[in-house]
Amino acid sequence: MSNRVIRIIFVLSVCCAVLMFTTQYFWIKKAYELEKNIFNTHVTIALKNVADQILRMNENTSLTDSIVSHVNDSYYTVQVNDKIDSTALEYLLKRELLAQQIKTDFEYSVYDCESEKMKYGKYVSYERTYKKPDVKMESFPKKLHGNNYFAVHFPKLDNYLTKEMTNWFWSTLVLIIFLIVLAYAIFIIFRQKRLSEIQKDFVNNMTHEFKTPLATIKLSSEVLKNPNIVQNPERLLNYATIINNETLHLTNQVERVLQMAKSNKEGIKLNIDHVVLKEMLDEITERKYKPLLRSRGGDIKVMMDSDKTEMYVDKLHFKNVISNLLDNAIKYCDRTPMIEIRTQDKPQGVQITIKDNGIGIDKKDLKNIFDKFFRVSTGNVHKVKGFGLGLNYVKLICKLHGGEIKVNSELGIGSEFTIFIPKNHKS
Ligand code: ADP
């Protein structure tokens, strides 16, 4: 799948998700308003019936006297203009509200026009274990007219409406689950895409790495096939050495890849040894890196705060760690390489810093350089050979020693890798 198609799928999915959420939000809001209206209609009918029946009980025939007022969302007053018997009122309210299928707690009170006070109030609950709260008279603001009326307040109206909308919440949940699945699917597509790019890169690098030595071996062996070469033993030795060196190089490369594959499957087992750091660093730098760098006009400096620093590490793997970092410092340098190794013997452990004056690493790539197969992108052609496995291996070995590796880098200036190995690690 091309990058363009993936990007289009991503943008379309985000648009669809936003649209679905907005629509759902809009419908839920509408449904809530509708539920409120239905509730209001049913309550008004019920209260009107209650008032009419009170008047009938009082043998008052002017049924038109009863007026239901919807004061606010949860508060209603019903003007009766006649005597109101509170026991009958409660019974009638329950019956009529249930007849309208409204089963939620309510509190009512009766206004007495003679004392100009709300004279009676009661909380009616449908929850059996519910301890009935005292009725707060503030729930029943007084109406400014001189006639008898009763008031009804629904304290749990919001809960009631929310319950009525359960179906909407289920459908929103289904929508959210669907969107999570969609987001996960897109994430998988991106990850697969990245993996396939890494794989492609790896195969390209591998082919590059093997092509050059194989071509050299092929050329050299063709020269050796010439029967006259026997007359020139020096040339023969030269070509045989080339074949030998290239074969060694190839074997090393294959070993590195196999080692990484193995480290994943079986894990690396460390053979911890006592090491004098100075001796180890001298061994690595004097034999290979100093001659190599000096031949290119560069240099490598080792600055130790103590010659006596001792460590307990796996010699072989730890040497590989230092070599990998030094190889990179040379590989990723486009001028005369100047490398510094600094060590600090701290109470908790040993810190080793390798600083180069190479091409540096972009900030955006820094977080990825320790990932397996990751190589900083340089377009389709990689001038510098590698598999993107070195730093991953370095990090793994540091971790196995209970330590860590950090990097500081600036493009065009250079990089600084700092390893810290604790003194009393349990490996
Ligand atoms: P490889 O060198 O085989 O590509 P590594 O895992 O050693 O793999 O390095 C990963 C990437 O990090 C390299 O491809 C390179 O782009 C970048 N890198 C590593 N070390 C340095 C360095 N010292 N200076 C600049 N870039 C570096």
Side-chain angles (χ1 to χ4, degrees), residues 194 365 368-369 371-377 387-389:
R194 187 157 175 258
D365 294 317
N368 299 320
I369 56 169
D371 292 350
K372 211 177 244 188
F373 301 122
F374 179 83
R375 307 200 72 211
V376 173
S377 167
F387 297 125
L389 293 173

Side-chain angles (χ1 to χ4, degrees), residues 312-353:
Y312 286 90
V313 290
D314 182 305
K315 259 188 197 167
L316 180 81
H317 287 300
F318 205 71
K319 269 191 199 171
N320 283 344
V321 164
I322 306 287
S323 301
N324 263 311
L325 293 176
L326 292 177
D327 282 340
N328 281 352
I330 299 169
K331 272 196 318 187
Y332 300 106
C333 185
D334 53 1
R335 51 193 138 166
T336 312
M338 293 292 180
I339 302 172
E340 275 176 27
I341 305 179
R342 261 178 288 119
T343 71
Q344 273 178 285
D345 199 340
K346 296 183 171 181
Q348 309 90 326
V350 178
Q351 183 172 301
I352 305 169
T353 307

Side-chain angles (χ1 to χ4, degrees), residues 270-420:
L270 297 183
N271 277 325
I272 300 293
D273 259 334
H274 172 255
V275 168
V276 177
L277 186 59
K278 181 169 168 38
E279 284 173 15
M280 182 191 259
L281 289 180
D282 282 349
E283 195 186 323
I284 299 172
T285 52
E286 298 294 332
R287 212 185 277 167
K288 183 177 170 192
Y289 293 98
K290 267 199 183 149
L292 179 77
L293 285 165
R294 289 194 177 149
S295 71
R296 289 170 62 178
D299 201 5
I300 180 165
K301 276 189 201 144
V302 182
M303 292 172 273
M304 303 184 71
D305 68 344
S306 161
D307 285 354
K308 295 198 179 72
T309 303
E310 294 175 348
M311 293 176 82
Y312 286 90
V313 290
D314 182 305
K315 259 188 197 167
L316 180 81
H317 287 300
F318 205 71
K319 269 191 199 171
N320 283 344
V321 164
I322 306 287
S323 301
N324 263 311
L325 293 176
L326 292 177
D327 282 340
N328 281 352
I330 299 169
K331 272 196 318 187
Y332 300 106
C333 185
D334 53 1
R335 51 193 138 166
T336 312
M338 293 292 180
I339 302 172
E340 275 176 27
I341 305 179
R342 261 178 288 119
T343 71
Q344 273 178 285
D345 199 340
K346 296 183 171 181
Q348 309 90 326
V350 178
Q351 183 172 301
I352 305 169
T353 307
I354 296 179
K355 187 177 172 195
D356 64 50
N357 62 337
I359 54 173
I361 305 163
D362 201 334
K363 291 245 159 356
K364 73 172 175 21
D365 294 317
L366 275 182
K367 59 180 187 306
N368 299 320
I369 56 169
F370 296 104
D371 292 350
K372 211 177 244 188
F373 301 122
F374 179 83
R375 307 200 72 211
V376 173
S377 167
T378 50
N380 272 339
V381 193
H382 272 287
K383 274 191 258 145
V384 182
K385 307 244 163 67
F387 297 125
L389 293 173
L391 288 181
N392 183 267
Y393 168 79
V394 168
K395 187 170 180 180
L396 181 72
I397 297 299
C398 288
K399 249 173 121 179
L400 287 177
H401 283 87
E404 56 175 5
I405 178 162
K406 285 187 182 151
V407 59
N408 259 321
S409 190
E410 215 173 308
L411 262 187
I413 307 278
S415 311
E416 192 177 82
F417 287 85
T418 305
I419 295 171
F420 181 80

Side-chain angles (χ1 to χ4, degrees), residues 216-217 219-225 229 232-248:
T216 320
I217 292 172
L219 270 175
S220 307
S221 55
E222 263 162 24
V223 176
L224 291 183
K225 264 173 32 195
I229 192 103
N232 192 343
E234 205 180 305
R235 243 184 119 206
L236 189 136
L237 182 68
N238 213 353
Y239 281 103
T241 313
I242 291 176
I243 292 177
N244 192 36
N245 285 348
E246 291 301 328
T247 321
L248 260 178

